[in-house]
Amino acid sequence: MTDRVIAWFFYATAYAFAVAAALIMLGGFIDYLQTGHWSGVNLLELGYDTHVIKARWFLEHRWSWWIHDVLGVIPLSVALIVSAPLVWSIAARVEQR
């Protein structure tokens, strides 16, 4: 019974990721039609806005700048599109147990 509940949670999470990615891309497309510039949020901006990432982490450790650069390049919509099938496959594995 608990495996089924966990699988439902993962299925709902994957579905939410897909819907959120579609809405972010739709909003970006509408902005593009209005302004001619496609604006989007990357993972670094999301981390700073939600206070999950602190700037001092990157300032204290020199080796962490490559993480800063990678997070600044990956758009949130792409991360959601990539993670949705991964979470869906986790749900399928949990459901098979």
Side-chain angles (χ1 to χ4, degrees):
M1 178 66 182
T2 58
D3 287 345
R4 180 177 284 173
V5 172
I6 293 170
W8 287 346
F9 172 74
F10 280 122
Y11 281 131
T13 303
Y15 184 72
F17 283 175
V19 169
L23 290 175
I24 289 170
M25 292 177 68
L26 179 65
F29 181 68
I30 290 172
D31 283 344
Y32 175 74
L33 290 177
Q34 292 176 348
T35 63
H37 182 271
W38 190 288
S39 62
V41 176
N42 57 28
L43 292 179
L44 185 65
E45 291 174 8
L46 178 70
Y48 282 146
D49 290 344
T50 59
H51 302 287
V52 174
I53 297 175
K54 307 286 185 207
R56 67 178 171 80
W57 294 345
F58 301 115
L59 295 174
E60 290 176 2
H61 306 287
R62 285 195 170 279
W63 59 268
S64 64
W65 277 104
W66 68 272
I67 297 171
H68 180 274
D69 296 338
V70 168
L71 290 176
V73 172
I74 301 172
L76 176 61
S77 59
V78 171
L80 289 172
I81 289 170
V82 168
S83 63
L86 295 175
V87 174
W88 190 275
S89 66
I90 291 171
R93 291 265 175 135
V94 169
E95 193 174 41
Q96 288 177 354
R97 287 196 304 164

